[in-house]
Amino acid sequence: MGRRLFAEFLGTGLLVAVVVGSGIAAERLSPDDTGLQLLQNSLATVFGLAILILILSPASGAHFNPVVSLADASLRRRTGTGLPVPLAAGYMLAQFTGGIAGAVLANVMFDVPTELATADRVTTGHLVGEIVATAGLVLVIFGLIRTGRATLVAPAVGAYIGAAYWFTSSTSFANPAVTVGRMFSDTFAGIAPGSAPAFVSMQLIGGALGLAATLILFPAPTSPVR
Amino acid sequence: MGRRLFAEFLGTGLLVAVVVGSGIAAERLSPDDTGLQLLQNSLATVFGLAILILILSPASGAHFNPVVSLADASLRRRTGTGLPVPLAAGYMLAQFTGGIAGAVLANVMFDVPTELATADRVTTGHLVGEIVATAGLVLVIFGLIRTGRATLVAPAVGAYIGAAYWFTSSTSFANPAVTVGRMFSDTFAGIAPGSAPAFVSMQLIGGALGLAATLILFPAPTSPVR
Amino acid sequence: MGRRLFAEFLGTGLLVAVVVGSGIAAERLSPDDTGLQLLQNSLATVFGLAILILILSPASGAHFNPVVSLADASLRRRTGTGLPVPLAAGYMLAQFTGGIAGAVLANVMFDVPTELATADRVTTGHLVGEIVATAGLVLVIFGLIRTGRATLVAPAVGAYIGAAYWFTSSTSFANPAVTVGRMFSDTFAGIAPGSAPAFVSMQLIGGALGLAATLILFPAPTSPVR
Amino acid sequence: MGRRLFAEFLGTGLLVAVVVGSGIAAERLSPDDTGLQLLQNSLATVFGLAILILILSPASGAHFNPVVSLADASLRRRTGTGLPVPLAAGYMLAQFTGGIAGAVLANVMFDVPTELATADRVTTGHLVGEIVATAGLVLVIFGLIRTGRATLVAPAVGAYIGAAYWFTSSTSFANPAVTVGRMFSDTFAGIAPGSAPAFVSMQLIGGALGLAATLILFPAPTSPVR
């Protein structure tokens, strides 16, 4: 169990370090074009997220996201193979602490002080964006698992986030632990603590919708028909 | 059948949401360089389209495109395993309504009103571009299927569109349902309703040419020779 | 045989259409930054080249390049399974005519006249670049084939060219048929006819060096040791 | 053994040629935006590094990096299948000489004189960055190998570096042979000789940490559990 929690801590931490660190690099190196910054930030995240899932999935399943852990526990309970509640709680604790540690690590690497972020991100459009982003993420992960294609989760989640950075207005946080971690760097990827509860709430709603869509589209775990 | 139509509606809708939404993000964030906007828009589409096909192909085949459904029905009729006409009609209805819903979703996420687009896109070069773009798309999809490589359709179509955004002058709509959806957002990816019929006509011609090329190159369904 | 030549004509033609067409789009849409143009041009080529090889390799082997056809014929002769000389000649004819047709197609799509290019590209550094670019290309293709990994040629060649556009000073033409095709569009990707013979000569030298490196590194066709 | 050393020399050399050459191209073509230069440089490296590992791994294992060779020798000694010391020494010699040769090749292709670089890169943040970058690299490589997924090393290392260029403040040298090679070009990717020892020291520390993390997460070589 320690090994699994270490993997969740490390993976979530490095994910936040990738998001925050590449955001700092982007805003420093391309100061004149926010879109170019987001392109750099999003491509680094595509690569980094896919690799973290790839490497660490044999150790812990590579959730790195409380919504994913909740959805996983919920789905498995239906089949009687559920993640026990203490382990799910441990996963989430590891994810939140990892997320914060990752922001601090990025700050240290870029010689930036660790401060609470000031970027207020709540708008109606952004909240809808978070619902869509998280629903899509859950559908991608569990749609693949339920069709016998778990080995594709790593590149698929990376690619999905590469699209979601751009097509959702909120740039697709889609992850409560990453949201909390991003509160601790007042830089490109930061989010003001006052915006976090609304974002997390929408992520939970999106997760539930994504799970519902998964069960409608793939009612029984099965191999692909094609 | 409901599940298949839901998958087509959802997939086409999210595809249009990706194209329109990332286009709005791009023009807002990189206002000074249209090429950079198209780079952001095209990369988001590469990622999003590949993932949508990957996730939803076990549910419906992931056509998301009336030209693909028509080509599929036509090819299967030759072998007596054709998509029944009512199902093909259902697919197309789901694709067109999904396409419109996707544009509305993008508008909501970005706090943009849903209005008819005003971008007139008809030029001789663009019409040739749509023929080429759609012919290529059909060749990619059915060339892979007829050589026993259907599992590669998702990344291949994503990559193909990533090239076609740039090498066809029209930025490769190549899809009547996406064309109709893009009429409903007066933003970067929009197309004026007056331009849509010509685009759709060229897409149908391109689809037929692509099907002909597929049958010439891969006269019988087979496994790869290499 | 007609089917194979058609595949070589089509593939080389579309490859040149991708290179020339995306170059025109790039210089029109991002007029202020040549590097951004090359980024757009190179990414479109990565996607397009990989897809063309993927789709058409079951039909013809997807050479699209006289240097590759020559190397293939040469390697196979060593094992007595050589491409017969008339077929090799047919391949090259299809490649050169396809390359020219592709440039014309790009010109038509972008409403550009078909004129001889005026960009003189010969410098000492560029000539060394073409040798390196072509040697690397041949090593990638035949290194994979000789280690039993021919199915990876499509994405590998795409990725290789994505690097070679940037790390060789010449932007990696690495293909006599593409070089000739690019003479017929006086746009971003064009090359003046006066520069073509030197480029093609270097490509032939590079091809020979690449073949030598392949034979040193992979002396016998084998399966991978790792 | 000669074949293996040639592969290490060639691979490390071309890797440095990719890094240095694409850096020169980037700073020439996009002179106004350092971030855009790094995007071009990093994407070229993603493609180039993945391909070099892919092609040459059957010949030598495709280390191209003294830290990787040391980690490999160390891990194998634990299981009694260690790389003999003379071969490990030969690998490193090939890597360092290859790295220098690659910088010279890039300089020749771009008509740049071979001079010692003047870019001082030592800051506290950068040194932390090198530790993180190298630890992550070692974890990626040996995490995959110990879970029976060695065939994924090539794309995974490419993608990892694509993230690490951006999320580590030092742009992720993570390789002593590449660090030394990059001393020999006073261009975008250069590093002043005075900065190299500190970078290499941090890489060795990072390599040891990465190895420790690998052994904690994957205590016994095994097949993936998922």
Side-chain angles (χ1 to χ4, degrees):
Chain A
M1 180 167 164
R3 193 171 70 98
R4 299 175 78 167
L5 298 186
F6 176 54
E8 288 295 310
F9 174 85
L10 186 67
T12 313
L14 289 175
L15 172 57
V16 171
V18 168
V19 172
V20 171
S22 65
I24 297 171
E27 69 183 350
R28 281 194 189 163
L29 298 176
S30 293
D32 297 328
D33 190 302
T34 309
L36 186 51
Q37 292 167 22
L38 192 67
L39 183 62
Q40 294 156 353
N41 186 220
S42 63
L43 288 176
T45 306
V46 168
F47 290 135
L49 178 52
I51 289 307
L52 287 168
I53 297 175
L54 179 71
I55 301 305
L56 295 173
S57 59
S60 72
H63 294 184
F64 311 157
N65 186 338
V67 170
V68 173
S69 293
L70 286 171
D72 187 73
S74 158
L75 272 180
R76 288 180 192 265
R77 180 158 312 140
R78 295 166 58 100
T79 57
T81 64
L83 203 66
V85 169
L87 186 55
Y91 265 48
M92 288 188 228
L93 186 63
Q95 290 157 1
F96 281 108
T97 53
I100 295 168
V104 172
L105 174 62
N107 293 337
V108 168
M109 285 195 289
F110 286 92
D111 296 309
V112 162
T114 291
E115 297 175 320
L116 288 177
T118 56
D120 184 8
R121 292 181 180 262
V122 174
T123 69
T124 303
H126 287 192
L127 296 181
V128 176
E130 281 302 294
I131 294 174
V132 172
T134 316
L137 177 65
V138 167
L139 176 58
V140 167
I141 295 170
F142 294 100
L144 288 173
I145 291 172
R146 286 175 83 83
T147 51
R149 299 178 292 170
T151 56
L152 295 177
V153 167
V157 168
Y160 171 74
I161 290 294
Y165 254 86
W166 289 94
F167 89 84
T168 68
S169 52
S170 60
T171 68
S172 189
F173 281 57
N175 184 330
V178 169
T179 304
V180 168
R182 289 168 68 165
M183 286 166 35
F184 292 88
S185 185
D186 193 17
T187 56
F188 185 74
I191 179 170
S195 295
F199 265 53
V200 170
S201 302
M202 297 305 114
Q203 290 159 6
L204 292 169
I205 293 171
L209 288 176
L211 206 49
T214 304
L215 292 171
I216 291 169
L217 288 163
F218 309 106
T222 175
S223 53
V225 300
R226 191 173 182 170
Chain B
M1 178 168 165
R3 192 170 73 98
R4 299 175 76 167
L5 298 186
F6 176 54
E8 288 295 311
F9 173 86
L10 186 67
T12 314
L14 288 175
L15 172 57
V16 172
V18 168
V19 172
V20 172
S22 66
I24 297 171
E27 69 182 351
R28 281 193 189 162
L29 298 176
S30 292
D32 298 328
D33 191 301
T34 309
L36 186 52
Q37 293 168 21
L38 192 67
L39 183 62
Q40 294 156 354
N41 186 219
S42 63
L43 288 177
T45 305
V46 167
F47 289 134
L49 178 52
I51 290 306
L52 288 169
I53 297 174
L54 179 72
I55 301 304
L56 295 173
S57 59
S60 72
H63 295 182
F64 312 156
N65 186 338
V67 169
V68 173
S69 294
L70 285 171
D72 187 73
S74 158
L75 272 180
R76 289 178 191 267
R77 179 160 313 139
R78 294 167 59 100
T79 57
T81 64
L83 202 65
V85 170
L87 186 56
Y91 265 48
M92 289 188 227
L93 186 64
Q95 290 158 1
F96 281 107
T97 53
I100 296 169
V104 173
L105 174 62
N107 292 338
V108 167
M109 284 195 289
F110 285 92
D111 296 309
V112 163
T114 292
E115 297 175 320
L116 289 177
T118 56
D120 183 9
R121 291 180 181 263
V122 174
T123 68
T124 302
H126 288 192
L127 296 181
V128 176
E130 280 303 295
I131 293 175
V132 172
T134 316
L137 177 65
V138 166
L139 176 57
V140 167
I141 294 170
F142 294 100
L144 288 173
I145 291 172
R146 286 174 82 83
T147 51
R149 299 178 293 170
T151 56
L152 294 177
V153 168
V157 168
Y160 171 75
I161 290 295
Y165 254 85
W166 290 94
F167 89 83
T168 68
S169 52
S170 60
T171 69
S172 189
F173 281 57
N175 183 330
V178 168
T179 303
V180 168
R182 289 169 68 165
M183 287 165 37
F184 291 88
S185 185
D186 193 16
T187 56
F188 184 75
I191 180 171
S195 294
F199 265 53
V200 170
S201 302
M202 297 306 114
Q203 290 159 6
L204 292 169
I205 293 170
L209 288 175
L211 206 50
T214 304
L215 293 171
I216 291 169
L217 288 163
F218 309 106
T222 175
S223 53
V225 300
R226 188 174 185 171
Chain C
M1 178 168 164
R3 192 170 72 97
R4 298 175 77 167
L5 298 186
F6 176 54
E8 288 294 311
F9 174 85
L10 186 68
T12 314
L14 289 175
L15 172 56
V16 172
V18 168
V19 172
V20 172
S22 66
I24 297 171
E27 69 183 351
R28 281 193 189 163
L29 297 176
S30 292
D32 299 328
D33 191 301
T34 308
L36 186 52
Q37 293 168 20
L38 191 68
L39 183 62
Q40 295 156 353
N41 186 221
S42 63
L43 288 177
T45 305
V46 168
F47 289 134
L49 177 52
I51 290 305
L52 288 167
I53 297 174
L54 180 71
I55 302 305
L56 295 173
S57 58
S60 71
H63 295 182
F64 311 158
N65 187 338
V67 169
V68 174
S69 294
L70 286 170
D72 188 73
S74 159
L75 271 180
R76 290 178 191 267
R77 179 160 313 138
R78 294 167 59 100
T79 57
T81 64
L83 202 65
V85 169
L87 186 56
Y91 264 48
M92 288 188 227
L93 185 64
Q95 291 158 1
F96 281 107
T97 53
I100 295 169
V104 173
L105 175 62
N107 293 338
V108 167
M109 285 195 289
F110 285 92
D111 296 309
V112 162
T114 292
E115 298 174 320
L116 289 176
T118 55
D120 183 9
R121 291 180 181 264
V122 173
T123 68
T124 303
H126 287 194
L127 296 181
V128 176
E130 280 303 295
I131 293 174
V132 173
T134 314
L137 177 65
V138 166
L139 176 58
V140 168
I141 294 171
F142 294 99
L144 288 174
I145 291 173
R146 285 174 82 83
T147 51
R149 299 178 292 170
T151 56
L152 294 177
V153 167
V157 168
Y160 171 74
I161 290 295
Y165 254 85
W166 290 94
F167 89 84
T168 68
S169 52
S170 61
T171 70
S172 188
F173 281 56
N175 183 330
V178 169
T179 303
V180 168
R182 289 168 68 165
M183 287 165 38
F184 291 88
S185 185
D186 193 16
T187 56
F188 184 76
I191 179 170
S195 295
F199 265 53
V200 170
S201 302
M202 297 304 115
Q203 292 160 5
L204 292 170
I205 293 170
L209 288 175
L211 206 49
T214 303
L215 292 171
I216 291 169
L217 288 164
F218 309 106
T222 176
S223 53
V225 300
R226 189 174 184 170
Chain D
M1 179 167 164
R3 192 171 72 97
R4 299 175 78 168
L5 298 186
F6 176 54
E8 288 295 311
F9 174 84
L10 186 68
T12 314
L14 289 174
L15 173 56
V16 172
V18 168
V19 172
V20 172
S22 66
I24 298 171
E27 68 182 352
R28 281 193 189 162
L29 298 176
S30 293
D32 298 328
D33 191 301
T34 309
L36 186 51
Q37 293 167 22
L38 192 67
L39 183 62
Q40 294 156 352
N41 185 220
S42 63
L43 288 177
T45 305
V46 168
F47 289 135
L49 178 52
I51 290 305
L52 287 168
I53 296 174
L54 179 71
I55 301 306
L56 295 174
S57 58
S60 71
H63 295 181
F64 310 158
N65 187 338
V67 170
V68 174
S69 293
L70 286 171
D72 188 73
S74 159
L75 271 181
R76 289 179 191 266
R77 180 159 312 138
R78 294 168 59 100
T79 57
T81 65
L83 203 64
V85 169
L87 186 56
Y91 265 47
M92 288 187 227
L93 186 64
Q95 291 158 1
F96 281 107
T97 53
I100 295 168
V104 173
L105 175 62
N107 292 337
V108 167
M109 285 195 289
F110 286 92
D111 296 309
V112 163
T114 291
E115 298 174 319
L116 288 177
T118 56
D120 183 9
R121 292 180 181 262
V122 173
T123 68
T124 303
H126 287 193
L127 296 181
V128 176
E130 280 303 294
I131 293 174
V132 173
T134 315
L137 177 65
V138 166
L139 176 58
V140 167
I141 294 170
F142 294 99
L144 288 173
I145 291 172
R146 285 175 83 84
T147 51
R149 300 178 292 170
T151 57
L152 295 178
V153 167
V157 168
Y160 172 74
I161 290 295
Y165 254 85
W166 289 94
F167 89 84
T168 68
S169 52
S170 60
T171 70
S172 190
F173 282 56
N175 184 330
V178 168
T179 303
V180 168
R182 289 169 68 165
M183 286 166 36
F184 291 88
S185 184
D186 193 17
T187 56
F188 185 75
I191 180 170
S195 294
F199 264 53
V200 170
S201 302
M202 297 305 114
Q203 291 159 6
L204 292 170
I205 293 170
L209 288 176
L211 205 50
T214 304
L215 292 171
I216 291 170
L217 288 164
F218 309 105
T222 176
S223 53
V225 300
R226 191 173 182 169

